[in-house]
Amino acid sequence: MSTSNLLILYGSQTGTAQDTSQRIARQALRRRLNVQVLSLDNYNVANLITESLVVFVCSTTGQGDPPDNMKNFWRFLFRKSLPVGSLCQLDCAVLGLGDSSYPKFNFVAKKLHKRLLQLGASVLLPVGLADDQHDLGADAVIDPWIASFWEKLFSLRPSYADAIPLRDDEPLPPTYTFSFLEESTSKSEDRLRIQSDQTVPSQLHPFPARLVFNRRVTEQSHFQDVRHIEFDITGSNIQFAAGDVVMMYPRNAAADVEQFCHLLRLEPEAEFTLTPSGNTAVPARIPQPCTVRHLVECVLDIAAVPRRSFFELLSSISTNELEQEKLLEFSSAAGQEELLSYCNRPRRTALEVLADFPHTTAEVKVDYLLDLFPEIQPRSFSIASSLKAHPQRIQVLVAVVRYKTRMFEPRRGLCSNWLASLDPTAGDVRVPLWVKKGSLRFPAEQDRPVIMVGPGTGVAPFRSALQERIAEGKTNNVLFFGCRSESKDFYFRSEWETMIKAGHLTLFTAFSRDQEEKVYVQHRVKESARLMWDLLANKEAVFYIAGNAKEMPSGVRDALQEVFQLEGGLSSAEAQQVLEDMERTSRLQAETWS
C-alpha cells in the first residue's frame, strides 16, 4: 500500500500528462500533503485495491490507444476476471489530455473513468477532458478541474486542509541534489556508447545503429528539405514488419548547449552525481556520475516551448521585482492569454526565455535543473523500408522542420534538424534506436487488395508495405501519392515506376501546385470511384491513410463516403455507417500526426 496521502498515476506519451501530474503534486506539497507521482507502468497495479486516494492523468495516442507507459496497467485493469467491487475503498479522479481534432478525443480517459466505476471506485468529480484545440490550450480545462478536485477533496476529508500551506513565493525543495566531483572519473571512454548485447533493443537499452546515408530527396530549390536516411542494424536482433515505427532520442544543438551553460554559469565538463529526495528515483537516462554536457545535450529539453510549470518555478526562484511580476502573470490562470502570446504562438524556447529573464536565470541553482526542464522525449518515425528488400537496414523519410514566426531566428524541429546535421562521411556516426509496433496492420491473405493514401512523408509506411508485400507475391496494390510538384518532391518516383512496369502497383498522383486548380489525394480517390467501389465492395480491400492530421484524413473519408453514394447507391447515412463498420473491423486504418 502507498504511504502517501495522495497517489498520482499518469500515462504520458509526449510528457504533457507527466507535467500535469507533477503540477498537481507541487500543489499537494504546498498543502503539506505526502504525495507520490508514478507512471502507470511503474506502479504495481495489484496494490490498487489497497489505495484510498488516486488521481489518474492520462493522454490518448494514435487511434484511441493508451500511451506506452500505461499499456501493462491497461491490460490488467480490463481483465474480465477482476471482481466488480474490487476498488470499493478507492476515491479517485480522472483527468484526460486530448485533442478534439482526432476522432477518438480523450478516449482513454473516458474508458478508464467508466472502468473504475465498474470496479466499484468512488469518483470524486466528472472526468476532465482537456483539449489542445481550445483557444487557451489544455489549461482551460485543467485549471478549473484541479481547483474542483481540491475543493471536493477538502470537503470529503477536512483533515487534508488542516496544515498551513507554503506561501506562493516560497520555493519547494528541489527533487534532486547535485554533488560535483573534484576529479573526472572518465578520461576517454564514450559515455554515450550503448551496450548492444541485449536480446532486443528497447527504450532503456537502445541499439547504436550506424548511419549509412543521409540524402536530401527534394529538389535543392524546394522550400522543404526532406531526407531519406538509412541505418545499419546488423547485430541488433531487431525485427519489424510494415507499419512499425523506429524510435530515437534527439540531442540538443551544440550551440544551444554552449549558450545554456554560459547563461547558467555551468562548466560543461564538470561531473556530478545525483541524490534524489524522498521516494524519487534518478532518471534512467542519467548515468552516475554524469557530465553537465551530457545532461544538457542528451537529457534536458531546453529547445522546447516551456510549459506553464516552468514559469511557476522561475517565479518562486526570482527576487528581481520586474521579472518576478511578469513570471507570476505567466503562471496565473488570468495570464494565460499573455503567455500564449509571449511563448506558445511564436514558439519561443525555454533557452530563449532564460535569456529574456537574465536576473532570474542567474539565481537558478543547479539542483533545480531537473524540476525546471522536462526530459527530451523520444521521437517516432514510420519505417520506410522492409527487411525483405533491405536486410539489416532501417530507412526513414524525414521532413526537416524549419519555419518562421515573429521570432528573429527560424524555429527548428529538434529531432529532424539533429538528424539532418549528421554526416556519415565524417566518421562512424551512431544513432541509438529501437523499434515498436505501429498502428497499421497489413492483411495476411495473398489476394486481398490494399488501397494506400499517403501524401508527402505519409508515404513512408506504404513504401515499407509495398516492398514487403511484393516480396511475398502480393501484387494487388493501389497507392495514392500527393505532393506539391512532380519535379520537386515526388518521393521514390523511380521505385514506383519499376513496380508499375512489373504489374505490382497501380499509382494515382496528385501534384497540388502544378496547375491552377489545387488537386489533392482526396480528389483522386473520388475520381477513381468505380475502382474504389469494386475493390472495397467486391474484393474486401483494406483502405489505409497516413500523413498530416490537419485536413487530409477527413477529406479522404469524405471522398470515400461520396464513392459509396455514387457507385453503391447508398444514402449519406448508409455510407457513413459503412465507413464506421470498416473502421471497427480494421478495414479502414489511419496513422496521422499533427
Side-chain angles (χ1 to χ4, degrees):
M1 177 173 173
S2 169
T3 56
S4 311
N5 291 41
L6 173 62
L7 175 63
I8 304 171
L9 299 174
Y10 64 86
S12 187
Q13 195 70 21
T14 62
T16 309
Q18 181 180 355
D19 180 75
T20 303
S21 300
Q22 288 164 342
R23 182 170 152 200
I24 299 169
R26 282 192 295 274
Q27 293 185 16
L29 289 168
R30 288 193 170 282
R31 291 167 167 84
R32 302 187 191 273
L33 302 179
N34 292 319
V35 62
Q36 186 175 20
V37 183
L38 290 169
S39 72
L40 281 150
D41 279 357
N42 278 337
Y43 171 71
N44 184 352
V45 68
N47 290 341
L48 200 58
I49 58 169
T50 63
E51 301 291 354
S52 66
L53 180 62
V54 180
V55 172
F56 297 91
V57 183
C58 50
S59 59
T60 297
T61 69
Q63 311 307 307
D65 301 316
D68 289 343
N69 64 2
M70 72 175 281
K71 284 186 171 166
N72 295 334
F73 167 87
W74 196 249
R75 280 191 289 272
F76 180 91
L77 198 72
F78 284 90
R79 281 184 186 172
K80 291 190 174 122
S81 58
L82 291 183
V84 170
S86 52
L87 298 182
C88 59
Q89 83 309 326
L90 177 65
D91 288 334
C92 65
V94 179
L95 175 58
L97 308 183
D99 183 327
S100 59
S101 68
Y102 286 82
K104 293 197 173 176
F105 170 60
N106 264 316
F107 182 76
V108 170
K110 292 172 187 171
K111 197 169 175 183
L112 173 60
H113 184 261
K114 188 177 173 184
R115 182 60 173 158
L116 291 167
L117 285 170
Q118 282 174 354
L119 294 173
S122 298
V123 179
L124 299 180
L125 67 166
V127 59
L129 302 175
D131 184 6
D132 273 347
Q133 294 299 316
H134 191 284
D135 287 345
L136 294 176
D139 280 346
V141 168
I142 293 170
D143 282 357
W145 188 91
I146 294 175
S148 298
F149 168 74
W150 292 122
E151 192 181 318
K152 184 73 175 176
L153 179 63
F154 294 154
S155 70
L156 278 175
R157 303 186 182 193
S159 63
Y160 277 52
D162 287 348
I164 299 165
L166 290 176
R167 298 190 320 271
D168 284 347
D169 62 348
E170 199 175 338
L172 288 165
T175 309
Y176 303 94
T177 304
F178 283 63
S179 301
F180 282 90
L181 308 180
E182 288 186 20
E183 287 185 20
S184 172
T185 59
S186 56
K187 295 291 187 283
S188 60
E189 76 264 29
D190 179 2
R191 66 173 62 251
L192 304 187
R193 185 53 50 87
I194 292 152
Q195 294 300 313
S196 56
D197 56 359
Q198 288 80 23
T199 48
V200 179
S202 63
Q203 185 166 354
L204 279 178
H205 302 290
F207 176 77
R210 181 177 64 86
L211 182 65
V212 179
F213 63 70
N214 183 353
R215 297 174 185 147
R216 178 173 173 137
V217 289
T218 44
E219 206 258 338
Q220 282 298 325
S221 65
H222 191 52
F223 77 97
Q224 176 73 72
D225 180 0
V226 176
R227 300 300 179 97
H228 180 200
I229 300 172
E230 181 176 88
F231 302 101
D232 182 352
I233 55 168
T234 303
S236 67
N237 296 317
I238 287 176
Q239 294 294 319
F240 60 87
D244 290 349
V245 296
V246 62
M247 308 288 296
M248 60 190 75
Y249 282 107
R251 294 184 191 171
N252 287 309
D256 286 355
V257 173
E258 295 303 322
Q259 187 191 358
F260 182 90
C261 291
H262 175 73
L263 285 171
L264 278 90
R265 301 179 173 88
L266 295 170
E267 168 50 52
E269 305 315 320
E271 286 193 311
F272 63 88
T273 57
L274 285 179
T275 306
S277 63
N279 50 17
T280 313
V282 173
R285 295 183 58 231
I286 301 178
Q288 296 264 55
C290 180
T291 63
V292 168
R293 184 182 300 282
H294 177 80
L295 178 74
V296 180
E297 183 183 14
C298 302
V299 182
L300 302 183
D301 205 357
I302 63 173
V305 176
R307 297 186 172 104
R308 181 170 155 190
S309 56
F310 179 80
F311 295 93
E312 286 173 358
L313 182 49
L314 282 181
S315 71
S316 71
I317 291 169
S318 181
T319 59
N320 179 277
E321 194 177 337
L322 273 176
E323 291 186 3
Q324 188 185 46
E325 187 182 334
K326 199 67 191 172
L327 291 165
L328 284 168
E329 182 187 1
F330 289 152
S331 307
S332 69
Q336 289 314 287
E337 181 58 44
E338 275 293 306
L339 181 57
L340 282 170
S341 179
Y342 167 71
C343 212
N344 298 63
R345 291 190 185 111
R347 310 304 294 166
R348 194 183 303 267
T349 68
L351 184 57
E352 289 166 332
V353 173
L354 291 180
D356 282 353
F357 291 84
H359 298 94
T360 304
T361 298
E363 294 178 79
V364 173
K365 292 185 174 67
V366 68
D367 291 346
Y368 282 103
L369 287 185
L370 285 153
D371 295 299
L372 267 175
F373 297 94
E375 288 185 51
I376 292 172
Q377 295 295 312
R379 303 317 201 251
S380 62
F381 295 96
S382 294
I383 296 174
S385 58
S386 168
L387 290 170
K388 293 181 176 174
H390 301 278
Q392 306 297 339
R393 297 288 188 268
I394 287 179
Q395 296 181 0
V396 291
L397 189 64
V398 179
V400 182
V401 179
R402 290 188 193 123
Y403 58 95
K404 284 292 291 178
T405 67
R406 62 183 171 82
M407 300 293 290
F408 177 73
E409 288 289 335
R411 306 295 88 187
R412 297 171 184 270
L414 180 63
C415 193
S416 61
N417 281 272
W418 171 65
L419 284 172
S421 74
L422 301 177
D423 180 6
T425 65
D428 186 27
V429 179
R430 300 274 170 166
V431 173
L433 52 78
W434 67 101
V435 164
K436 71 169 194 176
K437 281 280 162 217
S439 59
L440 301 178
R441 298 283 186 275
F442 291 88
E445 300 94 329
Q446 197 70 15
D447 53 357
R448 181 177 282 208
V450 297
I451 304 164
M452 300 167 285
V453 182
T457 55
V459 81
F462 302 141
R463 180 175 180 260
S464 174
L466 284 165
Q467 290 180 357
E468 185 173 286
R469 285 174 59 79
I470 290 167
E472 293 168 348
K474 298 170 183 172
T475 58
N476 204 342
N477 306 302
V478 177
L479 174 66
F480 290 86
F481 175 74
C483 61
R484 291 172 78 96
S485 172
E486 185 175 9
S487 63
K488 291 181 176 164
D489 55 344
F490 188 179
Y491 313 135
F492 307 120
R493 177 178 188 161
S494 62
E495 293 185 27
W496 310 141
E497 288 171 349
T498 301
M499 291 176 189
I500 292 164
K501 278 178 191 164
H504 298 158
L505 176 67
T506 301
L507 177 69
F508 297 94
T509 54
F511 305 114
S512 62
R513 303 301 199 275
D514 280 354
Q515 60 285 309
E516 211 166 294
E517 287 284 313
K518 288 179 183 170
V519 177
Y520 297 113
V521 283
Q522 50 265 46
H523 300 132
R524 298 298 190 223
V525 169
K526 194 175 163 187
E527 288 167 12
S528 314
R530 187 168 294 174
L531 174 64
M532 293 300 97
W533 177 254
D534 179 49
L535 291 175
L536 291 165
N538 302 322
K539 298 193 171 79
E540 292 284 297
V542 185
F543 196 99
Y544 300 87
I545 305 170
N548 192 296
K550 207 170 180 184
E551 290 165 5
M552 181 273 297
S554 59
V556 172
R557 280 185 170 88
D558 291 346
L560 262 187
Q561 204 166 326
E562 287 188 60
V563 166
F564 298 155
Q565 291 173 251
L566 286 168
E567 292 296 321
L570 306 183
S571 68
S572 177
E574 287 169 335
Q576 178 62 34
Q577 187 58 53
V578 170
L579 268 184
E580 287 172 13
D581 290 345
M582 283 176 64
E583 279 196 281
R584 188 174 42 78
T585 57
S586 297
R587 285 191 56 214
L588 173 57
Q589 300 178 37
E591 183 172 273
T592 58
W593 51 86
S594 50

